[in-house]
Amino acid sequence: METKEKPEIEILPRRLMSSKKAEDFAALLKDTGMISEVLFQRHNYSGGGYMVGRFILILAGLSPEAVIEKIRPLCEQVMPYSYDIRVGRFTKPKPTVKDYLRGRV
């Protein structure tokens, strides 16, 4: 049985973003109605907070090109210092044996 993998969009800001700014950006992305989930790559720091260096967008069944066209103005507004956008598969499609051993499933 062959499953078709859905493409995802990765946004890499050229600078780390504060947790507040990243959460606001994720809310803006979800409000477009084209994205079902936004995942962060967090970088923890000693003060107990975190900075965000990467966003992975799980699409809601639309083509990646249409979504990128819609979110590019939001990215330019929130990240004037520049960013990179890539399309691909950035999350694991199914749990691994290591995930079961660590109790994550």
Side-chain angles (χ1 to χ4, degrees):
M1 182 165 70
E2 191 175 313
T3 60
K4 185 172 177 167
E5 294 181 5
K6 294 181 181 180
E8 299 166 343
I9 296 175
E10 177 187 53
I11 302 173
L12 294 163
R14 298 267 171 102
R15 296 181 185 170
L16 293 175
M17 295 175 72
S18 69
S19 57
K20 171 75 172 116
K21 190 171 182 180
E23 289 171 6
D24 291 344
F25 180 55
L28 283 173
L29 292 171
K30 283 185 179 181
D31 286 346
T32 63
M34 304 174 113
I35 298 162
S36 61
E37 190 175 356
V38 179
L39 306 174
F40 303 146
Q41 179 181 7
R42 299 176 181 198
H43 300 277
N44 296 328
Y45 58 86
S46 62
Y50 65 91
M51 304 286 280
V52 176
R54 177 180 175 203
F55 297 91
I56 298 174
L57 311 179
I58 310 298
L59 306 181
L62 299 168
S63 73
E65 294 80 19
V67 175
I68 290 173
E69 187 177 310
K70 180 79 172 183
I71 65 170
R72 193 171 295 276
L74 296 174
C75 292
E76 290 172 2
Q77 175 188 354
V78 174
M79 297 175 276
Y81 42 80
S82 194
Y83 58 91
D84 295 315
I85 295 180
R86 296 188 314 165
V87 176
R89 184 71 186 185
F90 304 103
T91 59
K92 294 186 286 187
K94 61 182 182 175
T96 63
V97 172
K98 197 171 196 175
D99 291 333
Y100 285 104
L101 291 174
R102 289 184 176 170
R104 293 182 179 166
V105 179

